[in-house]
Structures are given as C-alpha cells and as structure tokens.
Amino acid sequence: QKEVEQDPGPLSVPEGAIVSLNCTYSNSAFQYFMWYRQYSRKGPELLMYTYSSGNKEDGRFTAQVDKSSKYISLFIRDSQPSDSATYLCAMSAGQAGTALIFGKGTTLSVSS
Amino acid sequence: GAVVSQHPSWVICKSGTSVKIECRSLDFQATTMFWYRQFPKQSLMLMATSNEGSKATYEQGVEKDKFLINHASLTLSTLTVTSAHPEDSSFYICSASEASGIESNEQFFGPGTRLTVL
C-alpha cells in the first residue's frame, strides 16, 4: 500500500459545480497536510495548508482533514474554467525541513 | 508567498554532457531545499534533500554521483545531471523551506526545469 493514495481522474465538471478531491493515507504520523495546484508544465502552487485535524477555508476553497479516518479533502465551490489543473495532495510528519509525500494528483477539467 | 526561481526553465542537451540547474529563494533564506523529478502524468518524486552547508540526503534509487547537489548558500542550491542520457529527460522541480515556527512546514516550489536529452 502506498503511503498516499489519490485518484488520478480525470474529473470533468461544468462551470459552477462543487468539486470534491480526496486523498487517503496510511502513516498516522502525518500532521501537516497540503493541497497544491499544478498547471501543465509549471511548478506546483500551494493552495491550502492545514496542521492536524479540522477544516480550513480560503475563498472558494475548503480543506478538511480527518485524521481518525486518515482522509483529507479539498472542496472547490463555484468552480471556474481557470480551476482546470492537476491538484496534488501532500503531507508530512515533521516540521520545516521535512520532505513531503505527494499523491499522484487528480486532473480536473471545468468546462464553460 | 515566498518566491523560488529556477534556471534554466528548459534545456536540451546531447547525451553524455552535464547540465546544471539552479534553484534560488528570492525573498527568504532556505535552510532546506528539495529536488523532485516529475515524469509526464506522474506525481512528484523526491530525489534528494539538501541542507545548507552539508551533504545532500538522497532517496533510495537515486544515484548521488549522477545527480550532484550543492547547497552552498541559504538562497541557492544547484542540481547537476552528469553524463546525461535520454532516460534522464524529465521535469525537475526544486522547493525551498524556511525554518520558522512550529507550524511552518510550507514548501515553496520553483517553476521547474524541463530537461530533454537527445
């Protein structure tokens, strides 16, 4: 079993839809959870950063962490064509200087 | 957020030559820098972790003599692909982390360098 599992998709939705992206993990030591957005041929861009369990909201994006289930989610409300990208979950057990473990990424396409 | 740059953004080289990729943190001091490789439609695979002033730590399966990493200052790390071969063609991405605060495990990524070895 891989440490981080993420469905690669692709996921296609119409503009305005609510998108749900998920990752599961096996290492109970993970405490830091991140979502990155990556456009084609570009470096990843940090979207959301969460420490331990709970929810975090930033504009149209909401990140949820359920450590008891080892499950994290990213919700995108009112999705836009510009949200079309690959979304990568990442996590780590340690503080600054600790390597991140990435999911495979989910490719999202939002049609207008 | 913090800015990380990479140079060059793309490079084409002949098989057997060496290529150097630079990663710079522009507005913060990066105590740790990471090098990743990403193949098409794949996730980022960590190659090595480098801390300023010390030897890099390589992940299993990554040849340290082939992928030379130098982190000589708090704002610059370099990756040199020595004797490059076509199978080394990939997207190389660096990230940088600034050690500050208990919750600070954010990594800021560079834009990546696309290497094509002919």
Side-chain angles (χ1 to χ4, degrees):
Chain A
Q1 181 187 11
K2 290 187 177 179
E3 277 196 291
V4 179
E5 299 273 6
Q6 184 177 10
D7 186 343
L11 181 62
S12 297
V13 301
E15 183 175 357
I18 297 174
V19 176
S20 172
L21 304 167
N22 313 292
C23 287
T24 59
Y25 62 94
S26 59
N27 188 344
S28 57
F30 287 148
Q31 295 190 79
Y32 299 87
F33 305 92
M34 284 139 273
W35 285 95
Y36 286 85
R37 177 173 61 193
Q38 186 178 26
Y39 292 110
S40 181
R41 298 174 179 263
K42 301 290 185 183
E45 170 195 9
L46 181 65
L47 275 180
M48 301 289 283
Y49 176 95
T50 309
Y51 170 67
S52 193
S53 283
N55 295 354
K56 189 172 185 178
E57 188 173 322
D58 183 2
R60 296 184 295 111
F61 299 90
T62 299
Q64 288 184 352
V65 175
D66 182 348
K67 290 187 69 179
S68 62
S69 301
K70 298 190 179 68
Y71 186 89
I72 69 171
S73 301
L74 177 70
F75 297 96
I76 307 174
R77 291 183 299 279
D78 187 25
S79 56
Q80 304 293 311
S82 57
D83 294 329
S84 298
T86 296
Y87 290 80
L88 298 144
C89 65
M91 47 198 81
S92 79
Q95 296 178 17
T98 305
L100 298 178
I101 308 299
F102 281 86
K104 273 193 154 183
T106 300
T107 300
L108 171 67
S109 176
V110 182
S111 56
S112 56
Chain B
V3 179
V4 175
S5 70
Q6 272 184 250
H7 178 81
S9 56
W10 59 271
V11 57
I12 301 173
C13 69
K14 291 182 178 180
S15 185
T17 61
S18 294
V19 175
K20 180 185 282 189
I21 302 170
E22 292 186 349
C23 176
R24 293 181 185 272
S25 57
L26 298 185
D27 50 4
F28 68 101
Q29 293 188 325
T31 50
T32 307
M33 286 185 170
F34 304 87
W35 287 96
Y36 296 84
R37 181 167 52 185
Q38 186 177 35
F39 292 106
K41 298 186 184 292
Q42 297 291 319
S43 189
L44 284 76
M45 298 300 296
L46 180 66
M47 299 175 67
T49 302
S50 76
N51 292 290
E52 184 265 338
S54 60
K55 287 185 178 180
T57 303
Y58 290 81
E59 293 299 299
Q60 192 173 10
V62 178
E63 300 174 59
K64 61 180 181 181
D65 294 330
K66 182 171 182 61
F67 298 100
L68 302 178
I69 291 171
N70 184 281
H71 192 165
S73 77
L74 286 172
T75 59
L76 173 65
S77 176
T78 60
L79 167 68
T80 301
V81 183
T82 62
S83 186
H85 287 91
E87 58 266 30
D88 298 324
S89 299
S90 187
F91 193 49
Y92 291 87
I93 310 174
C94 73
S95 72
S97 174
E98 177 186 30
S100 61
I102 192 170
E103 291 191 14
S104 186
N105 195 15
E106 295 182 52
Q107 287 186 28
F108 301 97
F109 283 81
T113 296
R114 184 159 301 280
L115 170 64
T116 301
V117 185
L118 302 176

